[in-house]
Amino acid sequence: MLGQMMDQPLLISSIARHADRRFADQEIVSFTVDNPRHRYTYRDAFSRARKLANALARHGVEQGDRIGTMAWNDYRHFELYFGVSGSGLVCHTINPRLFEDQLVFIINDASDKFLFLDPMFVGTVEALLPRLDNAPQLVILTDDGHMPETSFDAVSYEAFIADESDDYDWPLFDENTASALCYTSGTTGNPKGVLYSHRSTVLHSFGVSLPDVFDLSAKEVAMPIVPMFHVNAWGIPYATALTGTKLVFPGPKMGDPAVLQELIEEEGVTNSAGVPTVWQGLIAYLDATGKRIDSVKTLVGGGSAVPYSLMVAYEERYGVDLVHAWGMSETSPLGSMFHTSPALEKLPEEERQKARASQGAPPFGVELRIVDDEGGVLPQDGEAVGALQIRGPWIASSYFSADGPGTVGADAFTADGWFDTGDVASISPLGYMHIEDRAKDLIKSGGEWISSIELENTAVGHPTVKQAAVIAMPDEKWQERPLLVVVPEEGATIDAAELLGFFNGQVAKWWIPDAVAVTDAIPLTATGKISKLDLRKQLDAGKLTVQSPATA
Ligand code: AMP
């Protein structure tokens, strides 16, 4: 027997219509290329999103067409999220930091009909155009007065929507319709497209908004410092509209702690999300200037492991909860997030600390499991370590491909309906998941493995270390041993023997790296993560000066 309730599709436009009705006067504040403090309301945003939908329709796009964006976090990009997806088109967010070959691949693979770009990406796009198969129409996200010189035909965004009516009825369609597309920047092979749906996005927005997740409501002020071109800024722009949260966008200033602190203080930001390097940069700035971020309740850190020492520093010096979250492009990205529970509070201090340093527990909607090499499910006892798999209504079931589902990366999806994340983890009896490593970054020493993440987190707790990365070094006896690569704090000198001595008592003795290499900069990927592939190449090419205190 079926339930007898209305079959209302979960559409992104239903979020827009709700925000329009309930939170019309709530503010959206943006730092943009042409205005350091643009402010308007949800009413304005959705009115302009509807004009955009009319403009696109006038240009003959059809349901399912991909509309590319290459832009930072600001109000125009927000309008694109809703105007494009809401009208049944697919909002394809493109990471401008990718290499040219990857950009060419993904724009061709997606067959974008339009490309909406920030003025600062004109040069990038100029270089790509001769290599694109399907000449997308180009719109620059500015007004006529700020149009940059271009060697290609383009209109300004403001001119594109200027003469349109904001009278537009958001169409109704199947909630499983594709809404957005984002490519993962794999370190090997071509990037793979993740195709989100309206249903997955709306359900994910509920998940993100929960009190034990981002805790969003009309009383809060959220600032996503995660790019809207990478996993939809962790879904925050949809979730804030769903809950009526005031939104603050840092535009191209995501890496500028002075602007971030100013926006937090002046706009009263209560919740923010970013990768650990953002939080490291901000706390260094606060420490150096004596400035504060007193309005903040919660900072969410994810994308790579947040060092426990950083969480403690925020709590002790600024009274701010820096909370750990984990996810991937394929998981929308919310996979797990730390929050405490009465059961955890009853455990000894050491266990509570371990849980807080972990990547947290899955919210409703997500299930996690770990499996051994043969696919056997391992116990959630906090000890067993295995390949991390995930399933749920906002987890990818296959990768996008013009040749149809299942033609790309099919081996990441198991026969019994789980996605294999490529991460290696343990899960505690209370459900707290601890990422040990990316499977390919684990160091295999004498048949046992060592977690590079654990060693990196320990190293950045040392006062002379600004940044740390651990990679495997070939070893005759053990096959692989850990090499610690560090960038020193400004003015600090690294004493390799003393630094390695610091690991004593913090990690198993045989995990302690054998050697240290000091460098000026650790290479990063297009999504700002440590590029271990490039570090390994540097090591192979003899570009790292390796100090081995034991044999020195
Ligand atoms: P991406 O799809 O580019 O967002 O990358 C996802 C990958 O980032 C995951 O598979 C993890 O390896 C890594 N990652 C994300 N969040 C965390 C975290 N909190 N701790 C450790 N690794 C993380």
Side-chain angles (χ1 to χ4, degrees), residues 230 302-305 324-330 359 423 438 453 529:
H230 187 212
S304 53
H324 213 167
W326 167 87
M328 318 174 66
S329 309
E330 291 87 338
Q359 275 70 8
D423 286 338
R438 289 296 289 164
I453 294 183
K529 297 178 196 194

Side-chain angles (χ1 to χ4, degrees), residues 330 395-399 405-406 413 419:
E330 291 87 338
I395 312 302
S397 62
S398 60
Y399 288 109
F413 301 90
F419 170 68

Side-chain angles (χ1 to χ4, degrees), residues 340-359:
T340 191
S341 69
L344 180 63
E345 290 304 315
K346 287 199 195 103
L347 296 184
E349 170 68 16
E350 195 189 329
E351 287 299 311
R352 294 205 305 270
Q353 266 189 24
K354 224 166 109 184
R356 185 157 173 230
S358 79
Q359 275 70 8

Side-chain angles (χ1 to χ4, degrees), residues 262-540:
E262 212 173 277
L263 285 170
I264 289 172
E265 192 160 58
E266 291 174 16
E267 300 301 333
V269 171
T270 57
N271 302 45
S272 187
V275 294
T277 41
V278 165
W279 304 134
Q280 271 154 345
L282 181 64
I283 203 168
Y285 174 79
L286 298 176
D287 290 349
T289 58
K291 295 195 173 164
R292 308 272 315 168
I293 47 167
D294 290 332
S295 58
V296 171
K297 292 195 295 204
T298 309
L299 300 177
V300 180
S304 53
V306 181
Y308 185 65
S309 53
L310 192 63
M311 299 181 193
V312 173
Y314 268 100
E315 188 176 335
E316 287 180 352
R317 290 183 230 156
Y318 298 97
V320 163
D321 226 5
L322 171 57
V323 184
H324 213 167
W326 167 87
M328 318 174 66
S329 309
E330 291 87 338
T331 67
S332 293
L334 177 60
S336 67
M337 170 129 174
F338 175 74
H339 55 83
T340 191
S341 69
L344 180 63
E345 290 304 315
K346 287 199 195 103
L347 296 184
E349 170 68 16
E350 195 189 329
E351 287 299 311
R352 294 205 305 270
Q353 266 189 24
K354 224 166 109 184
R356 185 157 173 230
S358 79
Q359 275 70 8
F364 169 76
V366 173
E367 287 174 82
L368 300 175
R369 71 177 186 186
I370 46 173
V371 302
D372 62 22
D373 289 347
E374 283 73 48
V377 178
L378 293 166
Q380 304 200 354
D381 57 6
E383 300 291 329
V385 170
L388 179 67
Q389 300 188 342
I390 185 169
R391 73 175 176 191
W394 58 75
I395 312 302
S397 62
S398 60
Y399 288 109
F400 170 79
S401 164
D403 299 329
T407 46
V408 171
D411 52 354
F413 301 90
T414 70
D416 61 344
W418 293 71
F419 170 68
D420 196 304
T421 64
D423 286 338
V424 173
S426 62
I427 303 177
S428 81
L430 288 181
Y432 292 101
M433 184 270 291
H434 178 76
I435 298 268
E436 302 292 346
D437 227 326
R438 289 296 289 164
K440 60 185 187 310
D441 293 337
L442 276 176
I443 294 144
K444 282 140 208 133
S445 174
E448 301 283 340
W449 56 262
I450 297 173
S451 156
S452 65
I453 294 183
E454 199 73 36
L455 296 177
E456 288 155 9
N457 284 348
T458 306
V460 292
H462 190 275
T464 61
V465 176
K466 185 170 172 194
Q467 232 191 334
V470 172
I471 53 169
M473 242 180 0
D475 185 275
E476 245 174 59
K477 182 165 172 200
W478 303 107
Q479 284 132 0
E480 289 180 358
R481 289 293 302 156
L483 165 69
L484 172 63
V485 185
V486 288
V487 178
E489 284 287 0
E490 217 162 316
T493 314
I494 302 281
D495 175 336
E498 190 268 334
L499 176 56
L500 294 180
F502 175 74
F503 284 79
N504 270 323
Q506 300 204 62
V507 298
K509 222 169 171 52
W510 61 276
W511 277 33
I512 299 178
D514 283 14
V516 177
V518 180
T519 178
D520 294 341
I522 288 177
L524 299 179
T525 65
T527 50
K529 297 178 196 194
I530 293 170
S531 173
K532 300 218 168 156
L533 187 75
D534 286 321
L535 264 186
R536 285 191 277 265
K537 279 189 194 154
Q538 289 184 2
L539 178 67
D540 290 348

